[in-house]
Amino acid sequence: SAMAAVRAVEIDPEGTFKYILVRLQRPGGGEQRDIVRGTKAAEFHNHIFEKVNPEMEKLGYECKCLGGGKIEHNSKDKKIRVFGLSTGYGKADHSVTVEILKKEYSDYEITWSDDKK
């Protein structure tokens, strides 16, 4: 399907940055999919959503932010840590985020916690 063509994960290759978990769905229900987006360029979580939402609307999907947090990406050691929360959107279900990340970064050690930092 076209929805499967949307990249599940788009995150910065290095560093610690904010991320959000976003649910895409066809208007009127039906098919849905969760994607992860994160970047150092975003000062606040809503900046990420404000970029993703119009891109997905153009493709004909509705977006809902399921929450956010932070990602610490260490590409040298092949480690990703998911933690923290978003003040505006609340905490994403990091366990869901990790499952999505594992598909994309299958050779990484990926962990999560509810720690703030």
Side-chain angles (χ1 to χ4, degrees):
S1 75
M3 195 178 274
V6 175
R7 292 186 54 185
V9 179
E10 282 181 17
I11 60 171
D12 285 1
E14 195 63 49
T16 302
F17 44 85
K18 292 182 168 64
Y19 93 88
I20 57 172
L21 185 61
V22 178
R23 175 156 295 159
L24 302 183
Q25 64 181 43
R26 291 240 174 256
E31 198 185 0
Q32 61 176 40
R33 177 158 185 236
D34 294 345
I35 61 171
V36 175
R37 294 291 183 268
T39 177
K40 272 186 271 205
E43 190 186 348
F44 299 106
H45 287 91
N46 62 307
H47 294 169
I48 307 172
F49 189 73
E50 282 160 15
K51 186 178 173 292
V52 176
N53 198 34
E55 288 173 4
M56 296 305 149
E57 281 181 342
K58 274 191 204 115
L59 298 172
Y61 305 120
E62 290 171 349
C63 281
K64 186 171 134 200
C65 184
L66 302 178
K70 284 186 169 173
I71 288 176
E72 185 178 71
H73 189 173
N74 181 333
S75 53
K76 187 169 71 72
D77 296 340
K78 296 197 168 188
K79 284 184 178 174
I80 292 177
R81 185 167 78 97
V82 182
F83 64 101
L85 51 81
S86 159
T87 315
Y89 295 120
K91 187 177 80 71
D93 185 338
H94 296 327
S95 64
V96 171
T97 302
V98 166
E99 287 312 305
I100 297 169
L101 290 169
K102 277 180 178 167
K103 292 188 188 111
E104 195 85 6
Y105 295 95
S106 53
D107 56 343
Y108 269 59
E109 182 192 321
I110 305 176
T111 58
W112 69 271
S113 77
D114 289 329
D115 297 346
K116 298 280 190 289
K117 33 163 119 25

